[in-house]
């Protein structure tokens, strides 16, 4: 009989470079994909995003301005704090029964609106799958238009479908490089990535009223133009759009009268075992 056994995870963080997660490993396996780029070590606030892999903290937006937010390019203090325009973010990373738990606290004026994502690029094989509840409402963004076989509606920031094949696209298959790319947002708080005998669970926990989702960046050699590569991002998030400027009602987190928002990111791994 096949059972699932918990595999303890251990993170490695680079506070000097945006609080970046450079490793998430356990059981002899590394879950984070990395891509060497010397430019990552010299970025300054306001710089264009440097895709070096790992897990980047994106806040107050992912797409748009500032590119991938305003904290990935800033040094963090030794106690896990970073300040940017209009807010302060605090993060504490601990271990609970083998899972990695990051606790976040954002301080800002009441009414401050933001999107946050744990921009995790994963080292997974061509047969890996993203597992989420069937029927989950999924927003698909315009870069997937060439895959649809029909024109993208003029002015539409996204189209909605149902997981695992929104708009007929099998986005759950993380697949080999085929020259495509797609960005999507699943309106659910928890997903699993299954890759051979290993499973990584990613979950975001937030107070009632704070929108939670999971973003997917499925780049199968479709990006960037001229020098494409394969990268798979699975990104627990607060909000439901990549670009804060495109947020409609309920699409972003809003700081309440208390002046703070708290949430948790939980990362846990399992492995199939005979017996």
């Amino acid at each position: 009989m096949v059972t699932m056994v918990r595999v303890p995870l251990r993170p490695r963080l680079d506070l000097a470079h945006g609080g970046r997660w450079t490793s998430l490993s356990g059981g002899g396996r590394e879950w984070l994909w990395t891509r060497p780029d010397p430019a990552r070590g010299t970025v300054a606030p306001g710089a264009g995003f440097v895709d070096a892999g790992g897990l980047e903290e994106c806040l107050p937006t992912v797409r748009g301005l500032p590119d991938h937010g305003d904290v990935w390019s800033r040094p963090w203090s030794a106690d896990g704090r970073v300040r940017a325009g209009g807010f302060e973010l605090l993060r504490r990373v601990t271990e609970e029964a083998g899972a990695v738990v990051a606790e976040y606290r954002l301080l800002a004026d009441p009414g401050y609106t933001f999107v946050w994502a744990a921009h995790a690029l994963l080292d997974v094989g061509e047969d890996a799958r993203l597992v989420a509840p069937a029927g989950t409402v999924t927003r698909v963004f315009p870069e997937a238009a060439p895959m649809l076989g029909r024109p993208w509606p003029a002015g539409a920031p996204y189209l909605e479908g149902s997981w695992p094949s929104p708009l007929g696209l099998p986005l759950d298959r993380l697949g080999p490089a085929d020259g495509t790319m797609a960005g999507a947002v699943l309106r659910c708080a928890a997903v699993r990535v299954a890759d051979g005998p290993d499973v990584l669970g990613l979950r975001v926990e937030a107070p009632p009223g704070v929108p939670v989702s999971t973003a997917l960046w499925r780049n199968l050699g479709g990006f960037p133009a001229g020098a494409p590569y394969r990268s798979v991002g699975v990104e627990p998030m607060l909000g439901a759009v990549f670009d804060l400027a495109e947020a409609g009602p309920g699409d972003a987190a809003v700081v309440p009268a208390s002046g703070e928002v708290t949430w948790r990111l939980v990362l846990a791994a399992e492995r199939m075992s005979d017996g």
Side-chain angles (χ1 to χ4, degrees):
M1 183 175 68
V2 176
T3 59
M4 300 301 295
V5 178
R6 174 64 60 88
V7 177
L9 291 175
R10 175 171 296 179
R12 188 166 63 243
L13 309 173
D14 185 352
L15 294 175
H17 298 95
R20 178 170 174 253
W21 305 54
T22 58
S23 175
L24 182 68
S25 61
R29 165 170 194 149
E30 174 59 61
W31 279 101
L32 294 183
W33 172 87
T34 55
R35 174 177 172 268
D37 191 328
R40 181 64 184 85
T42 59
V43 297
F49 185 62
V50 177
D51 188 5
L55 187 159
E56 304 278 12
E57 304 282 358
C58 296
L59 190 150
T61 190
V62 183
R63 298 181 182 175
L65 297 174
D67 186 11
H68 282 69
D70 204 19
V71 301
W72 73 273
S73 58
R74 296 176 182 271
W76 291 38
S77 67
D79 62 351
R81 296 172 182 255
V82 62
R83 292 182 176 88
F87 66 88
E88 180 180 17
L89 179 67
L90 300 83
R91 182 188 68 190
R92 186 171 76 101
V93 180
T94 59
E95 179 267 343
E96 293 182 7
V100 173
V101 178
E103 298 175 303
Y104 297 86
R105 183 179 178 215
L106 182 132
L107 306 175
D109 290 339
Y112 183 81
T113 303
F114 67 96
V115 169
W116 163 83
H119 186 279
L121 293 174
L122 301 182
D123 187 0
V124 294
E126 295 180 350
D127 293 327
R129 300 179 72 91
L130 180 61
V131 182
T136 294
V137 174
T138 304
R139 294 178 170 180
V140 179
F141 290 77
E143 61 271 8
M147 303 169 63
L148 292 178
R150 62 181 187 273
W152 188 269
Y158 55 81
L159 301 177
E160 289 190 342
S162 297
W163 193 260
S165 297
L167 311 179
L169 304 178
L171 297 186
D172 62 320
R173 302 173 188 174
L174 302 180
D178 60 8
T180 66
M181 60 177 169
V185 172
L186 289 70
R187 301 304 309 273
C188 63
V191 300
R192 293 180 296 135
V193 177
D195 187 21
D198 294 316
V199 175
L200 178 67
L202 306 96
R203 183 174 80 251
V204 59
E205 302 170 351
V210 177
V212 294
S213 303
T214 305
L216 169 65
W217 171 238
R218 184 179 176 270
N219 173 30
L220 303 183
F223 174 88
Y229 50 83
R230 179 180 181 268
S231 60
V232 174
V234 179
E235 309 169 22
M237 69 185 303
L238 303 186
V241 291
F242 289 106
D243 191 342
L244 179 61
E246 296 180 348
D251 287 344
V254 180
V255 175
S258 65
E260 68 175 48
V261 178
T262 60
W263 67 95
R264 295 186 355 140
L265 169 67
V266 181
L267 306 168
E270 296 179 305
R271 178 170 291 160
M272 295 182 186
S273 174
D274 293 333

